[in-house]
Amino acid sequence: MTDERRREVGSSDAPVEDEIHESFDAIVEEGAERLQRTTRVVLTTGFAGGLEIGLGVMGYLAVLHETDSHLLAGLAFSIGLIALYLAHSELFTENFLVPITALIAREGTVAQLLRLWVGTLLANLAGGWVVMWLVVQAFPQWHGELVEAGRHYVEAPFGLQTAVLAVLGGSTITLVTRMQQGTDSDPAKIVAAVVGGFLLSGLQLFHSILDSLLVFGAIQAGAELSYGQWAAWFGWTLLFNVLGGLVLVTALRLVRSADLLRSRRRDAPSDPARSARERDDG
């Protein structure tokens, strides 16, 4: 089908399916909103995200303690992703597709993206540490599961398998974001969160934020692990999470929406940061 024929049969003038066009516009608008956030909003949203993903970890540990099944516990972990969606908080690894699309559409700057990434990452970890301290004090019966989980990740030897597990962790959470952006149905978005939680935790994919909470809990529960060991594991896991989210999901979506991106860039302000300041002043 030619672009001209596509325009004739669709309701929009874009040379792509109407659903793709609508989803693209929603992603750019949300990405621009995230990029324009103040540092205060970035930090508070990220800290809340760390607390809320802790709810998923709490559910995960409860089911794992009772059933010894990672698959069932993974379903329980999806509570955290549902909480993130309904409470409008976010994880660092959710910020690949949406803000990067807005950046390429010239609705934000690289400095704004870096502020969003760094602020959300640090705030996620701080909120996660706090909630895990509370969990460790409240549920001493889960200490065994926490210690085992922490050791599973931190003591995993770096190699092809663990690198791929981290790539899959990053691509999975980014795909969840893409699925949620592709529908206006709240039930469908919740289903996407359940799918993501099941895959991330049920299959024990390596995820820099989620698994850090388990490591923090293990250390707080008395495991013979150090924050130095965690930092070494966290560094390469984060790198491969980013690669998975950017290469396997974000890059493909950008190629699919190349025509829409070119059109959006032509209409975008020459100085996105200045335009944002003018909107705030107005």
Side-chain angles (χ1 to χ4, degrees):
M1 180 183 292
T2 64
D3 287 350
E4 291 77 10
R5 179 57 181 159
R6 223 299 319 154
R7 293 185 178 97
E8 289 176 6
V9 300
S11 60
S12 75
D13 292 331
V16 296
E17 293 85 349
D18 294 335
E19 292 82 0
I20 297 293
H21 190 194
E22 294 168 2
S23 177
F24 171 81
D25 286 340
I27 287 173
V28 171
E29 293 301 323
E30 182 174 339
E33 183 276 326
R34 292 189 190 184
L35 291 173
Q36 306 302 336
R37 289 174 180 170
T38 64
T39 301
R40 174 181 57 83
V41 173
V42 169
L43 292 176
T44 54
T45 303
F47 190 84
L51 295 176
E52 287 151 12
I53 206 66
L55 295 178
V57 174
M58 190 161 57
Y60 173 86
L61 291 170
V63 174
L64 186 63
H65 179 75
E66 295 296 331
T67 68
D68 199 32
S69 170
H70 288 284
L71 294 178
L72 291 177
L75 289 175
F77 169 73
S78 62
I79 294 169
L81 296 184
I82 294 171
L84 282 172
Y85 166 68
L86 295 178
H88 301 285
S89 302
E90 61 195 36
L91 293 179
F92 164 75
T93 46
E94 292 183 291
N95 278 319
F96 297 149
L97 174 66
V98 174
I100 288 178
T101 303
L103 175 67
I104 295 177
R106 298 183 64 180
E107 294 289 346
T109 67
V110 173
Q112 289 171 329
L113 178 64
L114 292 176
R115 179 180 64 182
L116 177 66
W117 276 3
V118 174
T120 303
L121 176 62
L122 295 177
N124 280 167
L125 294 174
W129 192 96
V130 169
V131 75
M132 290 312 298
W133 184 88
L134 296 173
V135 169
V136 167
Q137 310 313 312
F139 301 100
Q141 67 270 30
W142 297 348
H143 287 189
E145 285 76 17
L146 271 171
V147 170
E148 182 180 351
R151 296 178 69 91
H152 170 79
Y153 293 106
V154 170
E155 295 183 351
F158 176 71
L160 179 61
Q161 180 184 16
T162 49
V164 171
L165 285 170
V167 167
L168 290 173
S171 63
T172 297
I173 194 66
T174 307
L175 184 57
V176 169
T177 301
R178 176 66 188 88
M179 290 191 291
Q180 291 178 330
Q181 289 294 329
T183 179
D184 293 326
S185 168
D186 285 335
K189 292 180 179 183
I190 291 174
V191 168
V194 173
V195 169
F198 172 75
L199 293 175
L200 282 171
S201 291
L203 301 183
Q204 293 185 287
L205 302 182
F206 279 38
H207 186 276
S208 52
I209 304 298
L210 160 61
D211 300 336
S212 287
L213 268 65
L214 292 170
V215 177
F216 292 161
I219 294 173
Q220 294 161 355
E224 293 183 359
L225 301 173
S226 70
Y227 287 103
Q229 289 175 288
W230 163 78
W233 168 87
F234 178 79
W236 64 259
T237 302
L238 179 65
L239 172 62
F240 284 98
N241 280 171
V242 172
L243 288 176
L246 294 184
V247 176
L248 295 184
V249 181
T250 302
L252 293 176
R253 284 351 185 241
L254 293 177
V255 172
R256 180 68 180 85
S257 304
D259 294 323
L260 298 175
L261 279 168
R262 282 193 290 268
S263 176
R264 189 83 182 213
R265 286 174 61 86
R266 285 195 298 267
D267 298 334
S270 57
D271 186 350
R274 179 180 178 182
S275 177
R277 289 194 298 269
E278 290 173 350
R279 286 197 300 269
D280 293 340
D281 294 339

